[in-house]
Amino acid sequence: MLHIEHLSLGYGPTPVLHDLSLSLRPGEFASLVGPSGSGKSSLLRAITGLLQPQTGRLELGWKPEEVGFLFQDDALLPWRTARQNVALGLKIRGVEAKEAERQAEGWLERLGLSGLGARYPHQLSGGQRKRVALAQVLALHPRLLLMDEPFASLDAILRAQITEDLLEWVEREGISVLLVTHDLEEALALSDRVYILSGGPKARILREFAVPFERPRDPLVVRADPRFGPLLRELWQTLEVAVWS
Amino acid sequence: MVVRKEATPPNPTPSRKRSWLRPLALLVVLLGWEALAALGLLNPLYASSPSQIGRALVELFATGQIWPHLEATFGAALWGLGLGVLIGGSLGLLAALVPWVGEILEPFMLLLNAIPRIILAPLLVIWFGIGLASKVALSLLLVAVLIFFAVYTGIREVDPRLVERIRTLGGGRRVLLREVYLPSVTSWVLSQLKVAVGFAFTGAVVGEFVASSRGLGYLLNFAQQNFNASLSLALISLIVAFVLLLFAAFGALERRLLAWRSNR
């Protein structure tokens, strides 16, 4: 599990995030929602070790190689084909090159990218590039998936499709997820827990919401649930305070 | 996981170019030049004519006297180019990856870049003699500074998102070098190689001009002293032809190595 206590982090003397505490249980899906500059992405970077916390405690119950990070940009190597990009993480983990490429091809197939393995990123559409990035992370069988608004740049239909596919995979494999998003509906439809952050600097958790919908879950069905509207309104009111405070 | 179909952008196809336009323009210029010379409107002492230049070229090859000169110039230029890329590239890599090396090297390289390095030719002759070494040294100096900055800048301007991506996948310095820095730098270096070819030949020919007993620069000096415009222009066209050949070779290499670029 992930356990964070009184964490402060940032890039200068004034922390972006201050005195933050949260925890994530195995198989739990949590979302962080907050205004821009509230340190949501910085928190994910701190969890992966890309950023050192200034104070506080960050306990990660998974090994570093069990943590997958899905970036806002697909961040694929432009000089590697889709297959090579997916195989890269496997090769870094010591999988023999041929076997890594075979597994990569399997992942591309599973994500609806059959026959596109030899294409370079610029020869793929935005949605396909996202799927390659997703395949790259899922191929490493993460136990914790950190996602920094990974599908924000996609159109609504594509976004819904990829999110649904991902949710199905996450639920089946029991993967823990920490999602950073600006989309309150998305946070509510996907998560077991939603954390609302105040504006930065010195952002903090304003409120923690437990989401009552059962799993496995269909985001479309959840949105039609009579409890969804009132919950969304409550979340929105809290976020409004965060934005204007 | 559900398999979904999504529209795939087509593979880019090369645009059609009017490839006949440039050779035609060159032919028109050559014919015009020849006509002006034939009508006596051009002084042969200064401008010669395409047919006279052609005759001078044929004579150079038919008598076989050009070969030792070509060998000398090409030897100096290619050695200078190869060593310049190797040394400039290695120093650029070191300066970009080891901060204190960068702090020492950058001002020296900036100074070397700011001065016309050709002025070092006489000094290099004093140090290395009138043989091949002084020409190689001048070519090397011209090329190395160019490649140093290509590599140094290339590494410093690597997309930080790619570096973070590799780190989150578990890659260390070696993986970063192999998967991010070197491919990124390759595109910078390849884009500078055509300029480097010109620099390498400049170094070799100017070195031969200053002091030598053979080479195209030596022949050019000889032609100038004898007011032989035909020979001068024949030698210049020979150098241009070989440089264009190298350009084409590097162009092919660039297309092959940078196939991943979207605009190719």
Side-chain angles (χ1 to χ4, degrees):
Chain A
M1 72 180 281
L2 171 70
H3 192 68
I4 295 170
E5 261 181 54
H6 307 296
L7 190 85
S8 291
L9 48 91
Y11 305 89
T14 311
V16 181
L17 264 176
H18 181 61
D19 198 24
L20 179 130
S21 300
L22 65 81
S23 58
L24 186 72
R25 288 187 296 272
E28 191 179 24
F29 197 129
S31 290
L32 286 169
V33 185
S36 297
S38 57
K40 306 181 292 293
S41 302
S42 301
L43 178 62
L44 297 194
R45 287 163 55 80
I47 295 170
T48 50
L50 292 171
L51 181 67
Q52 285 304 309
Q54 291 171 334
T55 56
R57 227 155 62 103
L58 196 157
E59 263 178 57
L60 193 60
W62 293 278
K63 294 176 197 158
E65 58 266 27
E66 288 178 321
V67 180
F69 197 154
L70 207 53
F71 288 80
Q72 194 167 8
D73 310 287
D74 44 60
L76 298 171
L77 298 179
W79 39 81
R80 294 276 182 234
T81 62
R83 190 188 305 112
Q84 289 168 336
N85 264 292
V86 178
L88 182 63
L90 292 163
K91 286 184 197 166
I92 290 173
R93 305 277 161 96
V95 178
E96 193 259 328
K98 263 195 175 167
E99 173 57 20
E101 298 228 347
R102 194 190 62 76
Q103 286 186 29
E105 197 58 56
W107 276 101
L108 289 174
E109 251 172 61
R110 241 170 280 177
L111 286 158
L113 299 168
S114 305
L116 299 179
R119 293 234 174 155
Y120 289 102
H122 80 269
Q123 295 170 322
L124 300 169
S125 68
Q128 288 166 339
R129 283 200 298 274
K130 285 286 174 210
R131 283 174 192 271
V132 174
L134 187 58
Q136 190 182 48
V137 173
L138 293 183
L140 301 174
H141 297 283
R143 302 313 305 156
L144 170 64
L145 188 55
L146 304 171
M147 302 200 290
D148 189 0
E149 296 189 79
F151 311 127
S153 59
L154 300 181
D155 65 66
I157 298 171
L158 209 55
R159 185 174 177 169
Q161 283 177 349
I162 298 184
T163 308
E164 201 186 316
D165 290 352
L166 178 70
L167 187 64
E168 190 193 321
W169 184 261
V170 159
E171 284 177 345
R172 191 194 308 153
E173 299 293 314
I175 299 169
S176 309
V177 179
L178 190 55
L179 169 73
V180 160
T181 180
H182 277 108
D183 188 336
L184 275 181
E185 276 195 42
E186 182 181 62
L188 201 54
L190 299 176
S191 315
D192 302 307
R193 198 178 296 272
V194 178
Y195 293 97
I196 304 282
L197 290 168
S198 66
K202 287 196 164 186
R204 61 197 166 81
I205 291 176
L206 278 182
R207 204 169 152 190
E208 178 187 335
F209 285 84
V211 181
F213 310 118
E214 313 69 41
R215 292 199 184 275
R217 195 186 284 182
D218 180 338
L220 275 179
V221 175
V222 164
R223 281 181 167 93
D225 192 293
R227 292 168 294 176
F228 192 83
L231 253 175
L232 183 63
R233 203 171 307 121
E234 206 181 333
L235 271 174
W236 177 239
Q237 282 163 354
T238 314
L239 190 64
E240 259 187 331
V241 174
V243 172
W244 296 111
S245 65
Chain B
M1 206 168 267
V2 185
V3 175
R4 298 174 196 277
K5 287 284 166 209
E6 193 184 322
T8 305
N11 266 327
T13 49
S15 60
R16 291 168 69 187
K17 287 178 184 169
R18 280 173 281 188
S19 54
W20 47 269
L21 204 60
R22 284 182 202 165
L24 183 71
L26 182 66
L27 189 69
V28 168
V29 169
L30 288 176
L31 286 174
W33 183 3
E34 186 65 38
L36 288 173
L39 291 169
L41 295 171
L42 288 179
N43 186 341
L45 193 68
Y46 300 118
S48 189
S49 70
S51 60
Q52 281 176 318
I53 295 166
R55 267 195 291 279
L57 271 173
V58 169
E59 197 186 321
L60 280 171
F61 281 97
T63 56
Q65 58 172 306
I66 190 74
W67 298 115
H69 298 290
L70 273 182
E71 190 195 336
T73 305
F74 267 77
L78 294 181
W79 271 109
L81 181 67
L83 289 173
V85 169
L86 192 74
I87 294 172
S90 306
L91 289 178
L93 196 70
L94 205 64
L97 296 179
V98 186
W100 65 266
V101 176
E103 277 170 38
I104 293 172
L105 276 180
E106 196 185 1
F108 282 108
M109 287 299 188
L110 277 172
L111 185 70
L112 262 180
N113 199 31
I115 60 165
R117 297 187 288 288
I118 290 294
I119 60 170
L120 297 172
L123 189 65
L124 293 173
V125 171
I126 294 170
W127 286 350
F128 300 110
I130 66 161
L132 181 72
S134 57
K135 285 81 192 166
V136 172
L138 188 58
S139 286
L140 185 157
L141 257 178
L142 290 175
V143 172
V145 176
L146 182 78
I147 300 298
F148 171 86
F149 281 108
V151 172
Y152 188 55
T153 317
I155 289 186
R156 282 160 55 117
E157 301 214 345
V158 153
D159 187 345
R161 293 170 308 172
L162 299 183
V163 174
E164 290 201 340
R165 185 93 205 98
I166 296 292
R167 287 210 179 124
T168 57
L169 288 174
R173 259 177 106 85
R174 260 172 55 188
V175 179
L176 270 176
L177 192 65
R178 192 184 66 228
E179 296 292 338
V180 178
Y181 291 131
L182 287 181
S184 172
V185 154
T186 304
S187 62
W188 283 80
V189 170
L190 282 175
S191 65
Q192 294 295 323
L193 262 185
K194 287 180 181 170
V195 184
V197 169
F199 275 22
F201 273 90
T202 305
V205 172
V206 169
E208 288 162 357
F209 229 99
V210 172
S212 68
S213 54
R214 56 192 193 125
L216 296 178
Y218 165 79
L219 272 186
L220 271 170
N221 207 5
F222 171 80
Q224 176 218 324
Q225 282 167 5
N226 291 286
F227 288 92
N228 189 340
S230 296
L231 181 60
S232 284
L233 287 164
L235 292 167
I236 289 167
S237 37
L238 203 59
I239 294 169
V240 168
F242 281 115
V243 167
L244 286 178
L245 264 177
L246 282 173
F247 266 37
F250 284 129
L253 185 73
E254 198 177 345
R255 276 191 298 279
R256 190 178 159 76
L257 289 178
L258 304 182
W260 52 269
R261 274 195 180 174
S262 55
N263 56 347
R264 274 159 214 277

